[in-house]
Amino acid sequence: MDGMELEQALHAARALVLADLVADEVADADIVSLVEDAVVHRRWWVEQWPEGAAFVAGLIAQDVQDALLERYGRWPLCPVCTTSGDPHALDVEPELGPDPHWVCPKTAVAVAPVGRLRTSADI
């Protein structure tokens, strides 16, 4: 993988995660900085393992999700289990694979591909 392909994969992954943050109305400057940190970290990772470029979107989504949990709380919240009284975050599946999706860990319902979360007004 050349440098241009690497940058394209990273920028595409960044755009997908930002789209989900915007859809969930949590894309303020501090949170966008978390995305940038995740991209920097994964740039090194994919340079070491170029075959992993197809997995970078799911990994950046997970990195941002982990950073948000530490600082702000769960994200993105599951829209499937809204009446259970137990708010929980969606998981990225597969954990390491192409075509990552946001999935409810309790019901195994695939909610949306990474980058395609809908706004609460759309649900």
Side-chain angles (χ1 to χ4, degrees):
M1 168 174 284
D2 69 23
M4 180 68 79
E5 291 171 326
L6 167 72
E7 289 304 315
Q8 287 175 339
L10 290 167
H11 285 288
R14 177 185 181 275
L16 291 173
V17 174
L18 285 173
D20 285 344
L21 290 165
V22 168
D24 223 10
E25 299 176 356
V26 294
D28 66 24
D30 290 342
I31 293 173
V32 171
S33 292
L34 297 175
V35 176
E36 298 305 327
D37 292 344
V39 170
V40 167
H41 172 74
R42 291 301 172 176
R43 177 175 283 113
W44 177 87
W45 181 87
V46 80
E47 285 172 349
Q48 304 308 305
W49 188 45
E51 296 81 17
F55 311 151
V56 77
L59 293 170
I60 290 174
Q62 290 174 48
D63 293 344
V64 170
Q65 186 178 43
D66 291 345
L68 282 169
L69 181 60
E70 291 176 15
R71 295 182 187 180
Y72 300 102
R74 295 180 189 109
W75 177 83
L77 291 178
C78 179
V80 176
C81 302
T82 57
T83 60
S84 71
D86 179 28
H88 55 275
L90 298 171
D91 290 341
V92 174
E93 290 187 12
E95 287 186 31
L96 184 62
D99 194 28
H101 280 68
W102 293 110
V103 176
C104 172
K106 293 187 177 197
T107 64
V109 170
V111 174
V114 168
R116 296 262 177 111
L117 282 178
R118 295 183 295 176
T119 64
S120 55
D122 294 336
I123 296 175

